[in-house]
Amino acid sequence: MPAWLEVPADANDLAAGVWPASARRTADGALELAGVSAAALQASFGTPLYVLDEDEVRVRARRVRAAFCAAAARHGADARVYYAGKAFLSTEVVRWVAEEGLAVDVCSAGELAVALAGGAEPARLGFHGNNKRPAELRRAVEIGIGSIVVDSLDEISRLAEITAGAAVPQRVLIRVNTGIHAETHDFLATAHEDQKFGFSPDAARVAAARIREVPGLALIGLHCHIGSQIFGSSGFAASAARLVELHAELLSGGDLPVLNLGGGFGIAYTRVDTPAVIEELADRIVDAVADACAAHGIPVPALAVEPGRTIVGPAGVTLYEVGTVKPVELGDGLVRTYVSVDGGMSDNARPALYGAQYSARIVSRASSVAPALARVVGSHCESGDIVVEAEYLPGDVAPGDLLAVPATGAYCFSLSSNYNYAPRPAVVAVRDGRARVIVRGETVDDLLARDAGVTSPTKGEA
Ligand SMILES: Cc1ncc(COP(=O)(O)O)c(C=O)c1O
């Protein structure tokens, strides 16, 4: 049992900040999201089901943008917020964030296609990745993408070929490893030296010189992303200071109008998580940039950030139906109730990938039965197929209960798989008492359609 987990006074409560602001229990004790009952969602769309609260996404997008624009304006600079599409991308979400004034960051041809299909303006797209294929780079240049974040010398050579003879130079940034090790899971920390992303400051100097020799490329700035699910501002501030130092040095070779500080702002997955308030975080990060610029005697460039999780994470709730409930003796009189649900690591890989912690509630009803220590597990053939490692659920949790896991809007749908040939769940958006499918769920026929040996798709239907 994690040290932070306490027996709750009420195993029905919905912790503020972990659930969307619209989440509430109705008079009968059942959950409602944006005015739509969880039971109605189950009846209409089945489970597992990803539910996304549209207003929560919009409010969060608006708030991040306002926070960084206000912080930058205090130093006479502009700020642009890119929504990091890798957190969750669908055409609908592209439309929501674009309407809230955000640009979009993509990191594959697939994400680029979704962003374009969602109506994103090419000039307001950024393109990331440590191994962008030549065809992906060609496509990005062809559509007039706003910027490409260059990650290797090989990529510069590829772009030089692709942009040869171009009338308008392609705008690029250099991804820099500032050497800051963010305090987060190792696989989520991305700016320490021994990993695959970006250039060390020395290598970035070489990259800048190369880019500046290529007529088809325009170097517009530096980029850094130190990692994800970061709560404090000190890592961002330290990284920004190193980035500004390099930025100041490279100004001697030409203008660098943009400084992109990446994403990574943490969210509350459980009640003990205390992420920074976004306005305070924006102020501290931007002040750190401004202080470093002042120390080098240079103006503050236009700033960019690219958060994903903080915009969509808390807006998502995954619904599951409980299938089996099994008490397991742990010794010393301790019992853990294993609650198996109809999804698992195929719809939420984060616990298996990062040891991520989540919380859960029974949402088809409230219960006054004393809480029992539970582990919510999936239906897959792995003992690591854990959805919620430890949670107190009402002791009468039973097959047929509807169970919800909050804070699943980011990196669940986008990391989902077909492990054990599980069809991936639908995504439903809720707003003002209405629900609509924004990504349809897969069927077994969808899965069979890829198997070259299947001649009659419906043969596979159970
Ligand atoms: C380069 C880059 N930018 C932005 C993000 C978004 O991070 P987060 O969703 O934690 O804000 C990521 C996440 O992996 C990333 O790699």
mmCIF file of all heavy atoms in Angstrom, residues 19 27 80 89-91 96 99 104 112 124 146 186 235 273 289 356 361 367 381 398-399 404 425 427 440 452 461:
data_model
loop_
_atom_site.group_PDB
_atom_site.id
_atom_site.type_symbol
_atom_site.label_atom_id
_atom_site.label_comp_id
_atom_site.label_asym_id
_atom_site.label_seq_id
_atom_site.Cartn_x
_atom_site.Cartn_y
_atom_site.Cartn_z
ATOM 1 N N TRP A 19 -11.146 15.366 -10.231
ATOM 2 C CA TRP A 19 -12.302 15.172 -11.112
ATOM 3 C C TRP A 19 -12.579 16.478 -11.858
ATOM 4 O O TRP A 19 -12.237 17.556 -11.372
ATOM 5 C CB TRP A 19 -13.528 14.788 -10.274
ATOM 6 C CG TRP A 19 -13.388 13.444 -9.620
ATOM 7 C CD1 TRP A 19 -12.693 13.153 -8.493
ATOM 8 C CD2 TRP A 19 -13.941 12.209 -10.082
ATOM 9 N NE1 TRP A 19 -12.773 11.807 -8.218
ATOM 10 C CE2 TRP A 19 -13.546 11.203 -9.178
ATOM 11 C CE3 TRP A 19 -14.748 11.850 -11.168
ATOM 12 C CZ2 TRP A 19 -13.911 9.869 -9.329
ATOM 13 C CZ3 TRP A 19 -15.123 10.524 -11.314
ATOM 14 C CH2 TRP A 19 -14.698 9.550 -10.417
ATOM 15 N N ALA A 27 -28.884 13.067 -6.320
ATOM 16 C CA ALA A 27 -29.578 12.675 -5.090
ATOM 17 C C ALA A 27 -29.506 11.169 -4.845
ATOM 18 O O ALA A 27 -29.434 10.718 -3.700
ATOM 19 C CB ALA A 27 -31.031 13.135 -5.170
ATOM 20 N N ARG A 80 2.973 32.221 -26.999
ATOM 21 C CA ARG A 80 2.078 31.348 -27.764
ATOM 22 C C ARG A 80 2.016 30.006 -27.041
ATOM 23 O O ARG A 80 3.057 29.492 -26.611
ATOM 24 C CB ARG A 80 2.620 31.157 -29.179
ATOM 25 C CG ARG A 80 1.814 30.176 -29.985
ATOM 26 C CD ARG A 80 2.336 30.017 -31.401
ATOM 27 N NE ARG A 80 1.847 31.064 -32.275
ATOM 28 C CZ ARG A 80 1.900 30.999 -33.612
ATOM 29 N NH1 ARG A 80 2.437 29.954 -34.208
ATOM 30 N NH2 ARG A 80 1.431 31.980 -34.351
ATOM 31 N N LEU A 89 -5.375 13.398 -29.094
ATOM 32 C CA LEU A 89 -5.670 14.131 -30.325
ATOM 33 C C LEU A 89 -6.868 13.547 -31.040
ATOM 34 O O LEU A 89 -6.957 12.338 -31.259
ATOM 35 C CB LEU A 89 -4.444 14.112 -31.251
ATOM 36 C CG LEU A 89 -4.376 15.279 -32.236
ATOM 37 C CD1 LEU A 89 -4.262 16.609 -31.529
ATOM 38 C CD2 LEU A 89 -3.217 15.108 -33.204
ATOM 39 N N SER A 90 -7.798 14.401 -31.377
ATOM 40 C CA SER A 90 -8.901 14.061 -32.277
ATOM 41 C C SER A 90 -9.284 15.382 -32.940
ATOM 42 O O SER A 90 -8.928 16.455 -32.438
ATOM 43 C CB SER A 90 -10.100 13.492 -31.504
ATOM 44 O OG SER A 90 -10.757 14.530 -30.816
ATOM 45 N N THR A 91 -9.995 15.299 -34.048
ATOM 46 C CA THR A 91 -10.327 16.541 -34.764
ATOM 47 C C THR A 91 -11.131 17.482 -33.874
ATOM 48 O O THR A 91 -10.985 18.696 -33.929
ATOM 49 C CB THR A 91 -11.121 16.232 -36.044
ATOM 50 O OG1 THR A 91 -12.258 15.454 -35.694
ATOM 51 C CG2 THR A 91 -10.274 15.485 -37.051
ATOM 52 N N TRP A 96 -11.546 22.527 -30.477
ATOM 53 C CA TRP A 96 -11.735 23.193 -29.172
ATOM 54 C C TRP A 96 -10.532 24.068 -28.847
ATOM 55 O O TRP A 96 -10.689 25.233 -28.480
ATOM 56 C CB TRP A 96 -11.903 22.175 -28.043
ATOM 57 C CG TRP A 96 -13.053 21.235 -28.159
ATOM 58 C CD1 TRP A 96 -14.119 21.325 -29.017
ATOM 59 C CD2 TRP A 96 -13.262 20.041 -27.379
ATOM 60 N NE1 TRP A 96 -14.963 20.268 -28.823
ATOM 61 C CE2 TRP A 96 -14.470 19.465 -27.819
ATOM 62 C CE3 TRP A 96 -12.552 19.413 -26.368
ATOM 63 C CZ2 TRP A 96 -14.975 18.280 -27.271
ATOM 64 C CZ3 TRP A 96 -13.055 18.234 -25.822
ATOM 65 C CH2 TRP A 96 -14.253 17.685 -26.267
ATOM 66 N N GLU A 99 -10.155 27.087 -31.080
ATOM 67 C CA GLU A 99 -11.131 28.138 -30.732
ATOM 68 C C GLU A 99 -10.718 28.880 -29.460
ATOM 69 O O GLU A 99 -11.090 30.022 -29.261
ATOM 70 C CB GLU A 99 -12.528 27.520 -30.551
ATOM 71 C CG GLU A 99 -13.208 27.232 -31.877
ATOM 72 C CD GLU A 99 -14.471 26.362 -31.742
ATOM 73 O OE1 GLU A 99 -14.998 26.211 -30.624
ATOM 74 O OE2 GLU A 99 -14.895 25.839 -32.782
ATOM 75 N N VAL A 104 -1.051 24.110 -32.175
ATOM 76 C CA VAL A 104 -0.988 22.665 -31.880
ATOM 77 C C VAL A 104 0.394 22.133 -32.235
ATOM 78 O O VAL A 104 0.966 22.497 -33.264
ATOM 79 C CB VAL A 104 -2.078 21.885 -32.663
ATOM 80 C CG1 VAL A 104 -1.968 20.388 -32.404
ATOM 81 C CG2 VAL A 104 -3.473 22.376 -32.280
ATOM 82 N N LEU A 112 -0.169 14.938 -37.488
ATOM 83 C CA LEU A 112 -0.293 16.071 -38.404
ATOM 84 C C LEU A 112 -1.590 15.961 -39.211
ATOM 85 O O LEU A 112 -2.329 16.931 -39.378
ATOM 86 C CB LEU A 112 0.929 16.104 -39.349
ATOM 87 C CG LEU A 112 0.954 17.187 -40.415
ATOM 88 C CD1 LEU A 112 0.870 18.581 -39.795
ATOM 89 C CD2 LEU A 112 2.224 17.075 -41.259
ATOM 90 N N ARG A 124 0.098 27.487 -37.703
ATOM 91 C CA ARG A 124 0.007 27.420 -36.232
ATOM 92 C C ARG A 124 0.285 26.005 -35.724
ATOM 93 O O ARG A 124 -0.168 25.614 -34.655
ATOM 94 C CB ARG A 124 -1.364 27.924 -35.767
ATOM 95 C CG ARG A 124 -1.494 29.446 -35.960
ATOM 96 C CD ARG A 124 -2.859 29.951 -35.593
ATOM 97 N NE ARG A 124 -3.225 29.728 -34.208
ATOM 98 C CZ ARG A 124 -2.793 30.439 -33.170
ATOM 99 N NH1 ARG A 124 -1.941 31.426 -33.363
ATOM 100 N NH2 ARG A 124 -3.203 30.174 -31.954
ATOM 101 N N GLY A 146 4.217 25.728 -39.502
ATOM 102 C CA GLY A 146 4.767 26.917 -38.846
ATOM 103 C C GLY A 146 6.205 26.759 -38.416
ATOM 104 O O GLY A 146 7.038 27.639 -38.641
ATOM 105 N N ASP A 186 11.847 8.532 -14.491
ATOM 106 C CA ASP A 186 12.959 8.575 -15.434
ATOM 107 C C ASP A 186 12.500 8.633 -16.889
ATOM 108 O O ASP A 186 13.092 9.327 -17.705
ATOM 109 C CB ASP A 186 13.846 7.342 -15.260
ATOM 110 C CG ASP A 186 15.101 7.700 -14.471
ATOM 111 O OD1 ASP A 186 15.203 8.849 -14.012
ATOM 112 O OD2 ASP A 186 15.967 6.815 -14.323
ATOM 113 N N GLY A 235 12.833 23.489 -11.755
ATOM 114 C CA GLY A 235 13.452 22.824 -12.912
ATOM 115 C C GLY A 235 13.254 23.644 -14.178
ATOM 116 O O GLY A 235 14.185 23.827 -14.975
ATOM 117 N N ASP A 273 -1.711 14.737 -4.752
ATOM 118 C CA ASP A 273 -0.891 15.477 -5.725
ATOM 119 C C ASP A 273 -1.202 16.972 -5.623
ATOM 120 O O ASP A 273 -2.369 17.368 -5.589
ATOM 121 C CB ASP A 273 -1.207 15.006 -7.156
ATOM 122 C CG ASP A 273 -0.694 13.597 -7.413
ATOM 123 O OD1 ASP A 273 0.266 13.189 -6.745
ATOM 124 O OD2 ASP A 273 -1.258 12.921 -8.294
ATOM 125 N N VAL A 289 13.006 33.568 -17.222
ATOM 126 C CA VAL A 289 13.506 33.906 -18.567
ATOM 127 C C VAL A 289 13.892 35.382 -18.605
ATOM 128 O O VAL A 289 14.973 35.753 -19.091
ATOM 129 C CB VAL A 289 12.429 33.614 -19.644
ATOM 130 C CG1 VAL A 289 12.874 34.152 -21.003
ATOM 131 C CG2 VAL A 289 12.136 32.121 -19.725
ATOM 132 N N ALA A 356 2.308 4.684 -12.666
ATOM 133 C CA ALA A 356 1.441 5.840 -12.381
ATOM 134 C C ALA A 356 0.329 5.462 -11.405
ATOM 135 O O ALA A 356 -0.224 4.364 -11.473
ATOM 136 C CB ALA A 356 0.828 6.362 -13.678
ATOM 137 N N ARG A 361 -13.602 5.516 -8.056
ATOM 138 C CA ARG A 361 -14.838 5.570 -7.270
ATOM 139 C C ARG A 361 -15.886 4.684 -7.943
ATOM 140 O O ARG A 361 -15.895 4.547 -9.173
ATOM 141 C CB ARG A 361 -15.384 7.010 -7.205
ATOM 142 C CG ARG A 361 -14.590 7.924 -6.281
ATOM 143 C CD ARG A 361 -14.852 7.552 -4.832
ATOM 144 N NE ARG A 361 -14.102 8.341 -3.871
ATOM 145 C CZ ARG A 361 -13.037 7.900 -3.197
ATOM 146 N NH1 ARG A 361 -12.545 6.699 -3.419
ATOM 147 N NH2 ARG A 361 -12.454 8.658 -2.295
ATOM 148 N N SER A 367 -22.354 4.481 -1.364
ATOM 149 C CA SER A 367 -22.472 3.385 -0.397
ATOM 150 C C SER A 367 -22.012 3.871 0.963
ATOM 151 O O SER A 367 -21.028 4.619 1.070
ATOM 152 C CB SER A 367 -21.599 2.212 -0.850
ATOM 153 O OG SER A 367 -21.465 1.292 0.212
ATOM 154 N N CYS A 381 -3.866 -10.443 -19.834
ATOM 155 C CA CYS A 381 -3.073 -11.576 -19.341
ATOM 156 C C CYS A 381 -1.705 -11.133 -18.829
ATOM 157 O O CYS A 381 -0.669 -11.581 -19.330
ATOM 158 C CB CYS A 381 -2.917 -12.603 -20.451
ATOM 159 S SG CYS A 381 -4.502 -13.211 -20.991
ATOM 160 N N ALA A 398 -19.218 -4.580 -5.935
ATOM 161 C CA ALA A 398 -19.727 -5.869 -6.432
ATOM 162 C C ALA A 398 -19.758 -5.898 -7.950
ATOM 163 O O ALA A 398 -19.789 -4.841 -8.601
ATOM 164 C CB ALA A 398 -21.152 -6.074 -5.892
ATOM 165 N N PRO A 399 -19.768 -7.110 -8.525
ATOM 166 C CA PRO A 399 -19.910 -7.217 -9.975
ATOM 167 C C PRO A 399 -21.133 -6.424 -10.438
ATOM 168 O O PRO A 399 -22.172 -6.433 -9.769
ATOM 169 C CB PRO A 399 -20.104 -8.715 -10.209
ATOM 170 C CG PRO A 399 -19.406 -9.358 -9.050
ATOM 171 C CD PRO A 399 -19.634 -8.430 -7.883
ATOM 172 N N ALA A 404 -15.421 4.437 -11.951
ATOM 173 C CA ALA A 404 -14.815 5.504 -12.751
ATOM 174 C C ALA A 404 -13.412 5.818 -12.247
ATOM 175 O O ALA A 404 -13.170 5.846 -11.042
ATOM 176 C CB ALA A 404 -15.680 6.759 -12.692
ATOM 177 N N PRO A 425 -11.679 1.571 -26.747
ATOM 178 C CA PRO A 425 -12.971 2.193 -26.405
ATOM 179 C C PRO A 425 -13.256 3.467 -27.186
ATOM 180 O O PRO A 425 -12.336 4.124 -27.696
ATOM 181 C CB PRO A 425 -12.808 2.545 -24.920
ATOM 182 C CG PRO A 425 -11.594 1.854 -24.446
ATOM 183 C CD PRO A 425 -10.725 1.592 -25.629
ATOM 184 N N VAL A 427 -14.521 7.449 -27.471
ATOM 185 C CA VAL A 427 -14.381 8.665 -26.670
ATOM 186 C C VAL A 427 -15.667 9.467 -26.844
ATOM 187 O O VAL A 427 -16.099 9.728 -27.976
ATOM 188 C CB VAL A 427 -13.189 9.535 -27.127
ATOM 189 C CG1 VAL A 427 -13.015 10.716 -26.172
ATOM 190 C CG2 VAL A 427 -11.913 8.727 -27.231
ATOM 191 N N ARG A 440 -15.171 7.015 -32.439
ATOM 192 C CA ARG A 440 -15.980 5.810 -32.223
ATOM 193 C C ARG A 440 -15.116 4.674 -31.688
ATOM 194 O O ARG A 440 -13.905 4.639 -31.928
ATOM 195 C CB ARG A 440 -16.723 5.403 -33.505
ATOM 196 C CG ARG A 440 -15.897 4.675 -34.516
ATOM 197 C CD ARG A 440 -16.784 3.909 -35.513
ATOM 198 N NE ARG A 440 -15.981 3.396 -36.627
ATOM 199 C CZ ARG A 440 -15.307 2.256 -36.581
ATOM 200 N NH1 ARG A 440 -15.305 1.515 -35.489
ATOM 201 N NH2 ARG A 440 -14.598 1.862 -37.639
ATOM 202 N N ALA A 452 -4.825 -10.436 -42.856
ATOM 203 C CA ALA A 452 -4.935 -10.791 -44.279
ATOM 204 C C ALA A 452 -5.562 -12.160 -44.487
ATOM 205 O O ALA A 452 -6.057 -12.471 -45.569
ATOM 206 C CB ALA A 452 -3.554 -10.743 -44.926
ATOM 207 N N GLU A 461 -16.918 -12.451 -34.720
ATOM 208 C CA GLU A 461 -17.764 -11.881 -33.671
ATOM 209 C C GLU A 461 -18.124 -12.931 -32.629
ATOM 210 O O GLU A 461 -18.573 -14.015 -32.963
ATOM 211 C CB GLU A 461 -19.051 -11.296 -34.270
ATOM 212 C CG GLU A 461 -18.869 -9.962 -34.956
ATOM 213 C CD GLU A 461 -18.628 -8.818 -33.966
ATOM 214 O OE1 GLU A 461 -18.412 -9.095 -32.768
ATOM 215 O OE2 GLU A 461 -18.618 -7.659 -34.405
#
